[in-house]
Amino acid sequence: MTEYTQDQATFREVVTKFLQAKSTPTDVRRLMASDEGYDADVWQQLCQEVGLAGTHIPEEYGGFGFGPVELGIAAEEMGRHLYCGPFFSSAVMAGYAILNGDSEANKQKLLPEIAAGSTVATLVLDSVNDPNQVGRQLRVTGKELDGTAPIVTDAHIADVLLVVASGEDGLGLYSVIADADGVKISPQQALDPTRKLSRVAFSGAEVQKIGHLSESGLNKTWDQISVALAHEMIGGAQQLFDSTLEYTKVRVQFGRPIGSFQALKHRCADLLLELEWAKAATHHAAFCLASGQEPETASMAKAMASDIYMEAARAAVQLRGGIGFTWEEDTHLWFKRAKASEVFMGSPHTHRERLLSLMEEAS
Amino acid sequence: MNENCPDGAKGPGEIHTGSTKINFAADTQRWMEVMAERGWTVPNWPKEYGGGGLSTEETKILYEEMLAIGARAPLVNMGTRMFGPTLLEYGTEDQKQRHLTVIARGGAPWCQGYSEPGAGSDLASLRCRAEDKGDYFLINGQKIWTSGAQFADWMFCLVRTDFEASKHNGISFVLLPMDQEGVTVKPIELISGSSPFCETFLDNAIAEKRDLVGQLNEGWTVGKRLLQHERSGQGGLGTGAQRSRPVGVTIDLEMPDVLNDYVNDPSIAPELRDRVIDWEMKSAAFRLTQKRAGEESRDGKTPGEATSVFKLYGSTLAQDRQDLIVDLMGHQGVGCEDETFTSDETGAARSWLASRAVTIYGGTNEVQANIIAKRVLGLPD
């Protein structure tokens, strides 16, 4: 664990300022009601002016060459402001998958476009619960891909699909043009409308192989995505906690602010503690990724961030009383994102088991 | 240190408490003495009071080096952890010279005269009376939960010196020797069978005027600061060695070896596996947060209200750990005798009982949550 540098703190301020202006609850509500789910102009500004999509992409591929810590900062602020756009799918998921691959040609071609936001990519996994389950549905024979991935983020707006599938020589990473023949992308109505999901079915779609994917390669990508997602989640949890605390200070019942009641004080104190530990675990995991140490901290971060985000979400509704479960109040936007993120890239239980297995292997 | 640390002072084992009423193992005694010579029993105290004069950063290095050779803490007691740091801040030059130098060389254990039968969570309602008799105070009343009073030479004590003032404003912080006619100590037997706490009866006990810490009737301020030092070191049943150990950042199963047998038992319920790993994660995150708090206070700031955060969570973790251990042991976790049960198993059962206390002493979890709500979160009264 290291502390953030002054440059990293400044970077956070820049990201925050941009999102405060461009991702207000009003924006979120407008975008979640649209089919695309994002604002193309804001996405271009985010990539071109702030350069966020290239945060973790090396300079030789058109990025800024920062690492998981800076990417975490960006993700945390996006979670806090519930940014709607393909940042997570394209920059984080597809970006990491390509970076970890061994195809120099694909890095040269795809990464600068992803960093610039001119290409939107996403990562297609046939299991978003457990890396051990990946590759059971999607199969490549020759140059043709078959099978279905039920949960794919932002596929409906993607130009390129990066697909993890089983080939003749084990797992591989493949790229598929999103509008190619044999690719059927069906947007799904899901609980969380702020991150759009699609079902993606392949029937003989033509693939280009990017490279072989080892078990450790897949797990590394999974870890990197999990840590970025954990940052997004603690950002969301912090937002829920802050707004709920504020609400208990101003909402008056029985002639006094409800935050003066001990039952609520204790719940808020408990939330603060859980949130602080989850933040510590998450930030630590990013520093570990950056230094290549303690890979098990990724699962720790994802499990703890998931638990506190849901816990903060439950409290945010409960402590607001009736207004908390209305459409008009903004809490449900984060509440739904909390649940969708909790089960994406592995539930807390899956990550706890994964962590325990790693510890058992080590001992 | 490698040359001077006796083998008997390495690894788990006895830690010197500075008590003059206990015979410590020779290696424990020698380790305390060689460290005291350099002031390294209290490395960050000023040299003129028996400390090592080390900065926070240097102290951290010292602890890392101790950890590297497996050395236990040379000396841990209420004087080194709670009273000493408080006296450094509030004591007179005379008090520091007389008391800190003795604490630093392991010469006097202290006990804490805070709680009373009628003043527990509501500590400020204490009624132990101190009358001004010119050059001394005459003290009458009863203290309770005085840890280690039977082995202590001195007590720091909160007494009421003004019965007319509001409850926080009539309290003074005084120091009194335990070996005097007016002090009677009675151990309290606990559910674990041990007696770490006492009742202390004060009948015309005497505290000298020069041992009044801070101003008359302003003892609450001093007493609260001491509680912050107490809570910052609490939150566990761990030994002093664990406490002074630099915070690790790797996840390690902080369970006794015996537990591996239970955890690796294929018939163990998945729910218990989940709890084990959940506890491990929280414990690791707790250490990370402690470490961050330590880094933030590198400038030597004294602990503030945030110590309640660590007390509340640390004590919960410690208690959860004991719950988990006996749950993993099943019927082997309820033993009191050595025939059916191994000593590890009966030890676990005793620790489980003893762990009921950690969420209560030093201010209950509920009181800590109140402090956090008020001081950290700014929630209204």
Side-chain angles (χ1 to χ4, degrees), chain B residues 32-327:
Chain B
M32 190 278 287
E33 285 169 7
V34 295
M35 290 295 270
E37 271 172 38
R38 289 159 184 79
W40 289 354
T41 47
V42 281
N44 56 351
W45 290 11
K47 281 189 170 169
E48 59 263 42
Y49 308 129
L54 303 187
S55 67
T56 310
E57 201 57 36
E58 289 166 334
T59 303
K60 197 175 134 201
I61 292 168
L62 181 77
Y63 288 149
E64 279 166 7
E65 292 304 312
M66 283 167 59
L67 183 71
I69 63 166
R72 294 198 291 276
L75 175 70
V76 176
N77 59 31
M78 286 192 187
T80 61
R81 287 175 36 231
M82 295 148 52
F83 173 61
T86 308
L87 200 65
L88 273 171
E89 194 175 345
Y90 289 98
T92 63
E93 186 57 33
D94 166 63
Q95 287 165 349
K96 291 185 213 175
Q97 284 295 346
R98 281 188 295 121
H99 296 301
L100 294 183
T101 51
V102 181
I103 290 170
R105 60 170 193 267
W110 285 75
C111 66
Q112 179 179 36
Y114 269 37
S115 297
E116 296 176 9
S121 290
D122 182 14
L123 179 62
S125 68
L126 61 92
R127 302 191 59 77
C128 187
R129 170 192 294 268
E131 284 173 81
D132 190 336
K133 294 286 183 183
D135 56 355
Y136 65 93
F137 293 104
L138 192 67
I139 303 171
N140 281 285
Q142 185 192 342
K143 292 293 175 182
I144 195 165
W145 312 121
T146 30
S147 315
Q150 69 272 53
F151 305 118
D153 289 342
W154 282 82
M155 173 190 267
F156 50 87
C157 192
L158 290 176
V159 291
R160 188 155 299 283
T161 38
D162 185 344
F163 277 81
E164 306 302 317
S166 66
K167 67 178 183 181
H168 292 95
N169 293 324
I171 293 171
S172 297
F173 191 105
V174 299
L175 316 176
L176 58 113
M178 293 296 282
D179 293 318
Q180 58 170 306
E181 209 173 316
V183 177
T184 312
V185 173
K186 264 178 64 182
I188 302 170
E189 195 174 350
L190 302 184
I191 57 174
S192 59
S194 66
S195 302
F197 298 111
C198 298
E199 290 177 287
T200 303
F201 299 91
L202 304 169
D203 301 302
N204 291 332
I206 286 169
E208 289 187 54
K209 267 286 175 62
R210 62 176 182 157
D211 278 326
L212 170 70
V213 180
Q215 298 299 307
L216 188 71
N217 295 326
E218 290 176 15
W220 185 246
T221 308
V222 184
K224 263 199 311 188
R225 173 50 56 87
L226 187 134
L227 279 178
Q228 290 174 350
H229 286 295
E230 177 176 5
R231 288 166 186 158
S232 69
Q234 264 176 0
L237 288 169
T239 65
Q242 284 171 336
R243 250 187 231 112
S244 52
R245 180 185 85 171
V247 180
V249 290
T250 49
I251 298 166
D252 57 319
L253 213 74
E254 266 190 29
M255 298 265 178
D257 291 341
V258 63
L259 272 181
N260 290 336
D261 300 342
Y262 298 93
V263 177
N264 294 329
D265 180 347
S267 67
I268 187 177
E271 183 254 2
L272 277 173
R273 281 173 63 86
D274 214 46
R275 277 176 57 200
V276 169
I277 197 63
D278 196 48
W279 187 89
E280 288 292 345
M281 291 193 312
K282 286 178 173 162
S283 172
F286 179 67
R287 292 197 302 274
L288 285 167
T289 313
Q290 273 183 317
K291 185 157 183 280
R292 189 176 60 181
E295 282 165 357
E296 281 167 3
S297 67
R298 213 172 354 218
D299 52 1
K301 272 187 297 190
T302 48
E305 278 84 12
T307 56
S308 288
V309 169
F310 292 106
K311 163 64 166 97
L312 173 53
Y313 204 78
S315 62
T316 306
L317 269 179
Q319 194 172 75
D320 287 350
R321 174 171 178 269
Q322 301 302 335
D323 284 341
L324 188 51
I325 288 172
V326 293
D327 286 355

Side-chain angles (χ1 to χ4, degrees), chain A residues 1-3 241 245 248-249 256-257 259-262 264-266 268-270 272-274 276-281 283-284 294 296-297 299-301 303-304 307 348-349 352-353 355-357 359-360, chain B residues 249-253 263-264 270 273-274 276-278 280-282 284-286 288-292 295-296 298 308-310 312-314 365-370 372-374 376-381:
Chain A
M1 178 81 190
T2 318
E3 289 166 273
F241 179 69
L245 191 65
T248 67
K249 291 178 186 177
R256 48 198 276 208
S260 66
F261 291 107
Q262 205 172 37
L264 274 68
K265 283 183 174 175
H266 286 194
C268 288
D270 287 342
L272 171 77
L273 267 49
E274 298 286 347
E276 284 303 315
W277 315 146
K279 278 159 66 179
H283 294 157
H284 178 60
E294 300 176 44
E296 67 277 13
T297 53
S299 277
M300 175 173 157
M304 294 189 85
D307 285 342
H349 177 77
R352 282 193 288 269
E353 269 300 321
L355 181 50
L356 194 55
S357 307
M359 285 166 53
E360 283 167 350
Chain B
V249 290
T250 49
I251 298 166
D252 57 319
L253 213 74
V263 177
N264 294 329
R273 281 173 63 86
D274 214 46
V276 169
I277 197 63
D278 196 48
E280 288 292 345
M281 291 193 312
K282 286 178 173 162
F286 179 67
L288 285 167
T289 313
Q290 273 183 317
K291 185 157 183 280
R292 189 176 60 181
E295 282 165 357
E296 281 167 3
R298 213 172 354 218
S308 288
V309 169
F310 292 106
L312 173 53
Y313 204 78
N365 277 17
E366 290 72 21
V367 166
Q368 305 303 340
N370 285 349
I372 293 165
K374 181 172 180 174
V376 182
L377 299 178
L379 288 169
D381 279 328

Side-chain angles (χ1 to χ4, degrees), chain A residues 110-315:
Chain A
L110 284 173
L111 290 175
E113 295 175 4
I114 286 175
S118 52
T119 289
V120 170
T122 190
L123 183 63
V124 179
L125 296 164
D126 49 14
S127 168
V128 291
N129 186 47
D130 188 339
N132 295 323
Q133 306 281 329
V134 170
R136 298 193 179 181
Q137 308 298 324
L138 297 173
R139 291 184 187 278
V140 171
T141 319
K143 294 207 77 168
E144 292 191 352
L145 172 64
D146 290 285
T148 300
I151 306 283
V152 181
T153 56
D154 296 324
H156 67 300
I157 52 169
D159 305 304
V160 179
L161 308 175
L162 279 301
V163 184
V164 178
S166 297
E168 275 118 37
D169 57 346
L171 277 186
L173 182 66
Y174 301 87
S175 76
V176 182
I177 305 302
D179 58 6
D181 289 340
V183 179
K184 186 165 185 244
I185 297 171
S186 319
Q188 305 290 305
Q189 291 286 336
L191 187 79
D192 169 25
T194 66
R195 182 142 56 209
K196 305 290 186 189
L197 302 179
S198 297
R199 176 186 176 85
V200 181
F202 301 98
S203 50
E206 188 187 339
V207 295
Q208 188 200 344
K209 186 165 183 177
I210 290 189
H212 179 69
L213 193 60
S214 66
E215 192 189 328
S216 67
L218 175 63
N219 276 285
K220 181 182 173 189
T221 307
W222 197 280
D223 284 344
Q224 290 166 326
I225 296 170
S226 295
V227 171
L229 185 56
H231 279 83
E232 217 192 75
M233 296 173 86
I234 57 167
Q238 184 76 55
Q239 167 61 28
L240 284 173
F241 179 69
D242 292 346
S243 64
T244 303
L245 191 65
E246 190 51 38
Y247 183 81
T248 67
K249 291 178 186 177
V250 297
R251 168 71 174 167
V252 173
Q253 287 288 277
F254 304 103
R256 48 198 276 208
I258 59 172
S260 66
F261 291 107
Q262 205 172 37
L264 274 68
K265 283 183 174 175
H266 286 194
R267 186 148 182 190
C268 288
D270 287 342
L271 279 176
L272 171 77
L273 267 49
E274 298 286 347
L275 181 55
E276 284 303 315
W277 315 146
K279 278 159 66 179
T282 301
H283 294 157
H284 178 60
F287 283 105
C288 286
L289 278 183
S291 62
Q293 294 167 333
E294 300 176 44
E296 67 277 13
T297 53
S299 277
M300 175 173 157
K302 175 62 172 70
M304 294 189 85
S306 300
D307 285 342
I308 184 57
Y309 201 0
M310 260 332 291
E311 196 49 45
R314 287 188 199 97

